[in-house]
Amino acid sequence: MAMSLNQIGALSAATPVAASDGGEPTTAAVSASAVWRSPPANIRVSVQQKQGAEIDRLSPSPSPPMSPMRGGMRADLSVACQALMEGESAVREHASGDVKRKEGNGGVPVYVMMPLDSVTIGNGVNRRKAMNASLQALKSAGVEGIMMDVWWGLVERDSPGSIIGVLLEMAKKHGLKVQAVMSFHQCGGNVGDSCTSNQEQKLQLCRIPLPKWVLEEINNDPDLAYTDQWGRRNNEYLSLGCDTIPCLKGRTPFSATLTTCAHSEINSAIFLEIQVGMGPAGELRYPSYPEKDGVWKFPGIGAFQCYDKYMLSSLQAAAENYGKPEWGSTGPTDAGEYNNWPEDTNFFKKECGGWNSEYGDFFLSWYSQMLLDHGERILSSATSIFENQGVKISVKVAGIHWHYGTRSHAPELTAGYYNTRYRDGYLPIAQMLGRHGAVFNFTCIEMRDHEQPQEAQCAPEKLVQQVTLATREAEVALAGENALPRYDDYAHEQILKAASLSDNDEMCAFTYLRMNPELFQADNWRKFVGFVKKMKEGKDVHKCWEQVEREAEHFVHVTEPLVQEAAVALMH
């Protein structure tokens, strides 16, 4: 039974790049080309093997050892029984005019993420008085709008039901636009995505799981969940290996929630953007670094998530098509564990690592292509639903900046981004989004290289620069978010810098993480108001921070009663 968003509404985050291997300084030019840098002469890499063609490769030996074949796998997913969205026989091209990159000095609009606990488990709105005062203060400060999560686990918790759009009505009342995040993932288990269960138990973290009936299906068929090589299941998000399988009471994954939006009465004057969740934390990636229960800790390399029977079925078919059926029984078994570093493993080490072999190229090409195909399927459905609604579609991509200075970029590889010293993994993502007129939403915009552990070769600035160039080449609009809460001028300055990396254009929007009591503390609020003003003025307006803050004092004074009320109410 379809529900409207009015019902859902109350559901309320070519410049050289230095790459160091620890004693062997190397500079890799960042270019938005399919191959980031030509491989060494003794390594020849290709993605596909044409039938009957002779392979001429000199490369390290395949990743040893290979585990025994697992049985009981379904047929190749390429002949799965139905498309992701039932009843959608054709995909209509999404108009791209709304997502053109911002040009000139029009500035970058700022949005603010709502608290994850804006909505209670019982579908009520937490702290309504505080929410109302907060929205009024944000509007007075020049904020363009808010970002709110539409949790699948609440929309269809037991079965489709009705929810009153209180938060939407509040946003409309204060003239704020809304970025609605279609959150098909579990709330809880990642950095900054846990919320308190109620006001009396603030220290007890709660999670919004997937819908109860979906979890029942996972219980009946555990392979619907992402699985690592040790058999550990992850219920944050359904495995993309079953995208086209009618495994949810006759429906394919996500068709229920996307179809929920199909008949929505979306007012483009309120809804500016629909961000379609693609994986854990709403990001287009595999759940390769889960923090839940201490499985992963920063800056571990993470682990591949391709050991459910549906992913293995696809891998087996790909290996047979490639002419190496023995490569289809499992993923790499020498890629270490979640908290290893690249040089701890045979697969990711810089010298003769399996990632840089023929086998490694085959596996990583398949693994990343599965993620891209997942994005294609979801976007095809989403754009066909929303194309006449006057809203943008966006997709969030994770800012995996740790071990970025190594050759293999191991954490990006386990997450599904085939990005190495010799290959640009973000251009294919940008091109995929471009085919659907979607916005590329990227995180870690506030971070600086020297603020991160240098022993882990973290390079968030260089990563943001690479992504910026990729989106520029693909002619895709780029939006940004900060990965962690920051209220200092230092972080604000970095966001301003990153928002205008290109000579001719700026980010189309920036979303600030997030609205909470700390934001409304007097000094933080003053800095935030100045930051919003500077972002809106654009990069061509040259004013020192002191001048901007003096001009912002008027807005601080106007909003002071509201800010005090919001800060006090949010803490109780």
Side-chain angles (χ1 to χ4, degrees):
M1 176 179 178
M3 295 160 43
S4 72
L5 279 186
N6 287 333
Q7 293 173 308
I8 301 172
L11 296 178
S12 132
T15 322
V17 169
S20 168
D21 292 327
E24 184 187 344
T26 306
T27 300
V30 178
S31 65
S33 57
V35 178
W36 191 11
R37 177 184 174 188
S38 299
N42 67 326
I43 298 177
R44 301 185 184 93
V45 181
S46 67
V47 174
Q48 294 182 343
Q49 173 181 344
K50 295 183 179 179
Q51 188 173 8
E54 182 178 352
I55 303 174
D56 179 20
R57 288 189 181 89
L58 297 175
S59 59
S61 59
S63 172
M66 304 300 288
S67 301
M69 167 115 33
R70 300 190 182 196
M73 294 183 292
R74 293 190 184 182
D76 179 16
L77 291 182
S78 63
V79 293
C81 60
Q82 66 184 85
L84 176 64
M85 287 296 296
E86 295 166 317
E88 295 290 340
S89 59
V91 177
R92 293 163 290 190
E93 183 178 355
H94 181 64
S96 60
D98 288 339
V99 292
K100 294 289 186 183
R101 296 177 67 90
K102 181 178 285 295
E103 298 180 355
N105 63 346
V108 179
V110 175
Y111 295 79
V112 175
M113 297 184 198
M114 291 292 96
L116 289 169
D117 65 342
S118 294
V119 61
T120 66
I121 297 298
N123 295 330
V125 175
N126 266 326
R127 303 177 297 273
R128 289 186 57 172
K129 183 178 180 181
M131 193 71 68
N132 191 66
S134 301
L135 295 182
Q136 188 174 347
L138 292 176
K139 179 63 177 179
S140 300
V143 168
E144 186 77 10
I146 61 173
M147 174 178 280
M148 52 177 279
D149 288 280
V150 179
W151 295 105
W152 190 22
L154 294 183
V155 173
E156 291 192 313
R157 183 178 52 172
D158 298 307
S159 61
S162 62
I163 301 171
I164 301 173
V166 178
L167 190 56
L168 280 181
E169 288 302 317
M170 287 183 179
K172 181 179 179 181
K173 171 185 174 182
H174 296 296
L176 292 167
K177 291 185 179 294
V178 173
Q179 295 173 317
V181 183
M182 297 300 166
S183 299
F184 302 139
H185 62 283
Q186 166 189 284
C187 176
N190 283 288
V191 177
D193 73 343
S194 294
C195 55
T196 55
S197 58
N198 56 53
Q199 299 306 305
E200 288 74 33
Q201 297 175 308
K202 292 183 179 180
L203 298 179
Q204 179 181 349
L205 296 180
C206 79
R207 291 181 170 87
I208 301 174
L210 299 181
K212 180 180 177 181
W213 59 275
V214 173
L215 294 176
E216 290 173 353
E217 293 295 329
I218 294 176
N219 186 59
N220 294 332
D221 183 0
D223 284 287
L224 296 177
Y226 278 116
T227 309
D228 63 22
Q229 71 179 86
W230 304 280
R232 184 184 290 106
R233 308 286 187 177
N234 188 311
N235 288 347
E236 288 183 70
Y237 190 87
L238 289 173
S239 169
L240 61 82
C242 62
D243 268 2
T244 58
I245 304 296
C247 53
L248 300 180
K249 301 187 183 302
R251 295 183 291 182
T252 59
F254 320 116
S255 62
T257 307
L258 284 176
T259 303
T260 293
C261 306
H263 304 292
S264 303
E265 297 177 1
I266 298 178
N267 184 344
S268 61
I270 302 174
F271 282 89
L272 175 83
E273 180 181 316
I274 300 293
Q275 186 176 111
V276 184
M278 295 278 185
E283 297 166 336
L284 177 65
R285 65 174 176 86
Y286 293 95
S288 57
Y289 50 99
E291 283 204 315
K292 182 182 178 183
D293 301 325
V295 173
W296 171 88
K297 293 182 180 179
F298 177 86
I301 60 176
F304 292 112
Q305 306 292 310
C306 59
Y307 296 87
D308 63 83
K309 65 184 179 184
Y310 301 110
M311 290 291 287
L312 287 174
S313 175
S314 175
L315 177 60
Q316 184 66 63
E320 292 175 357
N321 184 62
Y322 188 82
K324 296 281 189 177
E326 65 273 19
W327 287 353
S329 62
T330 183
T333 56
D334 59 347
E337 298 183 359
Y338 286 96
N339 294 306
N340 284 144
W341 286 31
E343 290 304 307
D344 297 335
T345 74
N346 287 328
F347 189 78
F348 294 119
K349 65 183 181 180
K350 64 182 180 182
E351 297 291 347
C352 300
W355 66 274
N356 210 13
S357 67
E358 180 188 350
Y359 166 76
D361 181 57
F362 158 75
F363 173 79
L364 294 171
S365 296
W366 166 80
Y367 190 69
S368 61
Q369 189 60 48
M370 286 288 285
L371 191 67
L372 290 170
D373 291 345
H374 174 69
E376 290 273 11
R377 284 190 288 267
I378 302 298
L379 278 177
S380 294
S381 299
T383 53
S384 67
I385 289 171
F386 295 114
E387 67 172 348
N388 296 320
Q389 305 289 355
V391 296
K392 301 174 185 177
I393 302 293
S394 73
V395 172
K396 186 176 179 180
V397 178
I400 304 175
H401 58 84
W402 52 103
H403 301 296
Y404 183 86
T406 63
R407 295 182 185 180
S408 64
H409 293 228
E412 293 165 88
L413 299 185
T414 58
Y417 306 155
Y418 192 178
N419 190 59
T420 70
R421 176 169 297 185
Y422 313 122
R423 190 181 191 278
D424 185 352
Y426 296 100
L427 181 59
I429 297 174
Q431 291 171 331
M432 183 269 291
L433 299 181
R435 287 192 288 273
H436 301 279
V439 176
F440 193 122
N441 193 305
F442 197 63
T443 61
C444 78
I445 301 299
E446 85 286 7
M447 295 182 177
R448 299 184 190 233
D449 292 352
H450 72 267
E451 296 175 335
Q452 306 301 318
Q454 292 307 295
E455 62 273 17
Q457 299 197 45
C458 303
E461 292 179 83
K462 298 178 180 66
L463 174 58
V464 170
Q465 189 175 42
Q466 182 189 352
V467 167
T468 299
L469 292 173
T471 57
R472 188 177 183 184
E473 179 168 326
E475 298 183 344
V476 170
L478 177 65
E481 296 181 7
N482 50 314
L484 299 172
R486 292 282 295 271
Y487 309 101
D488 55 290
D489 286 342
Y490 203 54
H492 293 163
E493 290 169 0
Q494 181 61 23
I495 294 169
L496 283 162
K497 175 184 174 182
S500 57
L501 275 176
S502 176
D503 293 334
N504 301 316
D505 48 39
E506 298 173 315
M507 286 183 178
C508 64
F510 181 81
T511 304
Y512 194 90
L513 183 153
R514 85 178 53 243
M515 191 183 86
N516 56 28
E518 287 74 24
L519 174 61
F520 292 119
Q521 291 178 3
D523 192 47
N524 291 343
W525 180 249
R526 181 173 290 101
K527 289 182 172 66
F528 176 75
V529 172
F531 163 72
V532 172
K533 183 175 178 59
K534 189 71 173 179
M535 289 284 279
K536 291 186 69 176
E537 287 178 341
K539 63 183 178 183
D540 294 333
V541 178
H542 303 288
K543 295 180 181 179
C544 66
W545 272 103
E546 289 77 8
Q547 182 180 357
V548 171
E549 290 193 358
R550 283 197 301 270
E551 294 177 355
E553 283 297 327
H554 168 70
F555 297 100
V556 173
H557 177 72
V558 168
T559 58
E560 184 175 1
L562 295 170
V563 169
Q564 291 177 347
E565 179 182 351
V568 172
L570 284 170
M571 289 187 292
H572 294 286

